[in-house]
């Protein structure tokens, strides 16, 4: 009887989809990062697996998190958080995602999330022009993508 129970438990464990083991990553929206930079997501780069979630936390006031539509994989849905509100986003589609804080986009408040191994939209993401300081920060973030 114990062997049958063990085999049943093993079969159930194998049958559970990988999404059952999805992780939740946290990104803080800050006026000043640990490195002294102003208006940042921390961390500003994440590499996650499909099905993982990212919770954007308004640690400091007056921030939001939203996708940059021209920096998303084909078929992925855009998202837009409200100012001063936490938002949790599930990333199911593999690829490279650009994230911004709308009020501080021009001040360079951007982030990049790589989901899985598919980087088919990386070159398109690199070609996107951003305002002011975001245009300076984005290349460094995109350089962290694992091709």
């Amino acid at each position: 009887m114990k062997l049958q129970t063990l085999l049943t438990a093993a079969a159930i464990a194998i049958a559970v989809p990988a999404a059952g083991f999805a992780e939740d990553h946290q990104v803080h929206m800050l006026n000043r990062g640990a490195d002294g930079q102003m208006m940042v997501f921390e961390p500003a780069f994440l590499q996650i697996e499909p099905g993982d979630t990212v919770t954007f936390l308004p640690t400091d006031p007056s921030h939001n998190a939203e996708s940059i539509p021209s920096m998303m994989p084909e078929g992925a849905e855009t998202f837009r958080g409200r100012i001063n509100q936490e938002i949790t986003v599930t990333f199911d589609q593999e690829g490279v995602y650009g994230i911004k804080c709308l009020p501080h986009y021009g001040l360079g408040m951007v982030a990049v999330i790589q989901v899985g191994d598919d980087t088919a939209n990386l070159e398109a993401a690199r070609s996107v022009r951003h305002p002011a300081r975001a245009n300076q920060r984005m290349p460094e973030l995109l350089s962290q993508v694992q091709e």
Side-chain angles (χ1 to χ4, degrees):
M1 185 71 166
K2 288 183 182 181
L3 180 59
Q4 185 177 5
T5 303
L6 203 57
L7 290 173
T8 301
I12 290 170
I14 291 170
V16 172
F21 298 106
E23 287 188 53
D24 179 48
H25 306 267
Q26 294 188 342
V27 174
H28 296 269
M29 298 181 274
L30 302 167
N31 293 339
R32 183 183 304 267
D35 62 359
Q37 286 194 54
M38 301 295 287
M39 304 303 168
V40 295
F41 289 99
E42 203 166 86
F45 177 82
L46 282 176
Q47 186 170 6
I48 65 174
E49 294 301 318
D52 284 1
T53 59
V54 177
T55 300
F56 295 91
L57 302 165
T59 308
D60 290 331
S62 302
H63 299 294
N64 82 321
E66 61 183 77
S67 53
I68 301 172
S70 54
M71 291 185 71
M72 295 181 62
E74 189 174 322
E77 290 188 35
T78 60
F79 65 90
R80 183 178 190 165
R82 300 174 90 175
I83 302 292
N84 296 327
Q85 292 197 354
E86 179 179 306
I87 181 174
T88 299
V89 180
T90 301
F91 291 86
D92 291 319
Q93 187 78 30
E94 287 196 38
V96 177
Y97 293 75
I99 314 296
K100 66 183 176 185
C101 168
L102 184 59
H104 303 111
Y105 189 27
L107 296 175
M109 193 164 177
V110 292
V112 170
I113 299 175
Q114 178 180 355
V115 180
D117 298 322
D118 185 351
T119 59
N121 71 314
L122 179 58
E123 284 310 310
R126 285 181 175 144
S127 69
V128 174
R129 301 293 299 163
H130 307 277
R133 213 156 137 71
N135 214 40
Q136 295 171 359
R137 286 186 181 170
M138 193 58 80
E140 190 277 322
L141 294 174
L142 289 170
S143 75
Q144 296 178 56
V145 172
Q146 299 295 309
E147 295 184 70

